[in-house]
Amino acid sequence: MQVEAISFVQKNEFVVCKSELTGETWESKVALHKKGEVTPPEGSFDYTSSTFNAVVVLDVDTYYVAGLDGRIYSIPRSIMLAPSKAPPKAPGSSMPMVLDKAHNMPISSLDLNKDKLLSGSWDCNIHIYQLTGSSGQFISEKTGHQDFVFDVKWNPLELSQFASISRDKSLQYWDERQNKPSLITLLPHAPLTMAWSFKTDNTLALGLNDNTVRIVDYRKADQPIITQKFSAPVRAIAFSPHKKELVALGSDDTSLVVLDTEANKRVWEFKHKDFVRAVCWDKEDVGVLVSGSWDQSVAFHSI
């Protein structure tokens, strides 16, 4: 199955979303992968009612995944270790356990700030939820984009603020307490993915559909500090939480690159056999980077 998303759980352990088209039916799998493990992974469950393409971790025992059906599903670790054909059921209900206030179209991205969850959707809207264990409450909807929202990310150094990017070619900066973005910047090409630096509260990496990655100050996002060119779009970006000048870039040209943003130099490269759609650093094991590809592999790297 092709890998769509990866998120850190605990040292040397990650939760991975996978998908596969069988005939006319999409199937999804959410699996736990550990460094050094043998295939198959320790825990997983399959689901045939939606394709999952984003995942975040609330704590070691609770994960949230986004479906192309517009829903956000709560997945407890216990069901990962006891495989099931459906997500957990809400008490007294025959419906899957999902957050209220679903999107009207596929969800493209999720991001978590402690217990507040962001979701961005093809319906052009952004939702914010307050999470409590395996359940969550809808807080607000942000409407500022004119086309598909491709990515949403909390600012890790300014926890009430976040950025969003869209097919409308805009980068928008928000305060969660306000109904409208505080800053809108139009870019020359549509941004597909992004990641915040952990080094300063104003630095972003953007992957655009012109096959470039741009390191920018969000306040002047149309004036890139660094530009790196690839032969296909970069759709997965992650800054290192340890060596904060390093950023991992996964491209549809099958390359995985680690860029030193201070030297503007590629310091490490790896080739998958198909699109690289997920990258994630280990928050506890310095230098461990994990990548996932449509070549069906989850690879652990030491940088």
Side-chain angles (χ1 to χ4, degrees):
M1 304 182 83
Q2 59 199 34
V3 178
E4 305 287 358
I6 299 175
S7 191
F8 172 79
V9 177
Q10 58 188 339
K11 186 176 181 178
N12 294 328
E13 184 181 64
F14 297 77
V15 60
V16 180
C17 289
K18 306 176 182 181
S19 66
E20 183 177 53
L21 181 62
T22 303
E24 297 182 355
T25 303
W26 280 98
E27 297 181 358
S28 293
K29 180 187 292 286
V30 183
L32 291 171
H33 283 254
K34 290 184 178 181
K35 182 181 178 182
E37 74 178 357
V38 296
T39 303
E42 174 187 315
S44 66
F45 79 86
D46 300 335
Y47 191 50
T48 58
S49 296
S50 180
T51 298
F52 301 138
N53 65 327
V55 58
V56 294
V57 175
L58 178 64
D59 53 46
V60 172
D61 296 317
T62 312
Y63 322 125
Y64 286 86
V65 297
L68 290 182
D69 60 1
R71 294 180 173 187
I72 300 173
Y73 296 81
S74 173
I75 309 296
R77 183 182 183 89
S78 58
I79 203 172
M80 304 288 286
L81 304 179
S84 168
K85 287 295 182 182
K89 306 293 184 180
S93 170
S94 60
M95 297 297 291
M97 184 178 290
V98 297
L99 299 190
D100 60 349
K101 188 66 175 179
H103 285 277
N104 297 322
M105 294 183 71
I107 296 171
S108 53
S109 60
L110 296 176
D111 196 38
L112 190 62
N113 165 17
K114 295 184 178 178
D115 57 358
K116 285 189 177 178
L117 180 68
L118 275 177
S119 62
S121 170
W122 289 12
D123 65 11
C124 308
N125 298 325
I126 299 163
H127 288 179
I128 302 178
Y129 302 86
Q130 180 76 51
L131 302 183
T132 305
S134 61
S135 64
Q137 180 180 358
F138 173 77
I139 297 176
S140 65
E141 180 176 78
K142 308 299 183 185
T143 57
H145 287 290
Q146 305 302 312
D147 208 329
F148 297 168
V149 176
F150 284 146
D151 206 355
V152 288
K153 289 289 190 299
W154 291 105
N155 187 332
L157 302 179
E158 294 287 348
L159 295 182
S160 66
Q161 299 172 13
F162 65 92
S164 60
I165 54 175
S166 166
R167 197 169 70 170
D168 64 16
K169 299 184 181 179
S170 73
L171 166 67
Q172 300 190 6
Y173 193 70
W174 302 77
D175 186 306
E176 66 166 312
R177 297 162 292 190
Q178 305 299 321
N179 291 326
K180 297 297 180 182
S182 58
L183 181 65
I184 300 175
T185 304
L186 290 179
L187 301 168
H189 304 276
L192 304 172
T193 188
M194 65 178 167
W196 285 101
S197 168
F198 294 100
K199 193 170 186 179
T200 69
D201 63 2
N202 52 26
T203 302
L204 273 170
L206 298 169
L208 277 64
N209 70 354
D210 67 342
N211 304 342
T212 64
V213 170
R214 301 184 179 199
I215 309 298
V216 303
D217 182 320
Y218 81 86
R219 298 166 296 184
K220 300 177 290 184
D222 56 346
Q223 303 173 37
I225 303 166
I226 292 173
T227 301
Q228 287 278 322
K229 184 72 173 178
F230 289 75
S231 58
V234 167
R235 297 180 185 269
I237 303 178
F239 275 92
S240 169
H242 305 290
K243 299 178 181 179
K244 298 180 181 179
E245 72 279 8
L246 300 183
V247 60
L249 309 169
S251 172
D252 281 358
D253 67 12
T254 76
S255 67
L256 172 63
V257 170
V258 175
L259 175 71
D260 184 325
T261 59
E262 292 183 351
N264 191 15
K265 179 181 179 181
R266 299 185 183 197
V267 296
W268 184 89
E269 294 192 36
F270 177 83
K271 276 285 189 179
H272 276 277
K273 296 179 181 178
D274 207 330
F275 302 156
V276 183
R277 289 297 174 87
V279 292
C280 187
W281 295 88
D282 194 310
K283 295 179 181 179
E284 297 179 12
D285 197 346
V286 177
V288 172
L289 174 66
V290 183
S291 60
S293 169
W294 280 19
D295 65 12
Q296 304 185 27
S297 69
V298 174
F300 284 76
H301 315 278
S302 295
I303 310 301

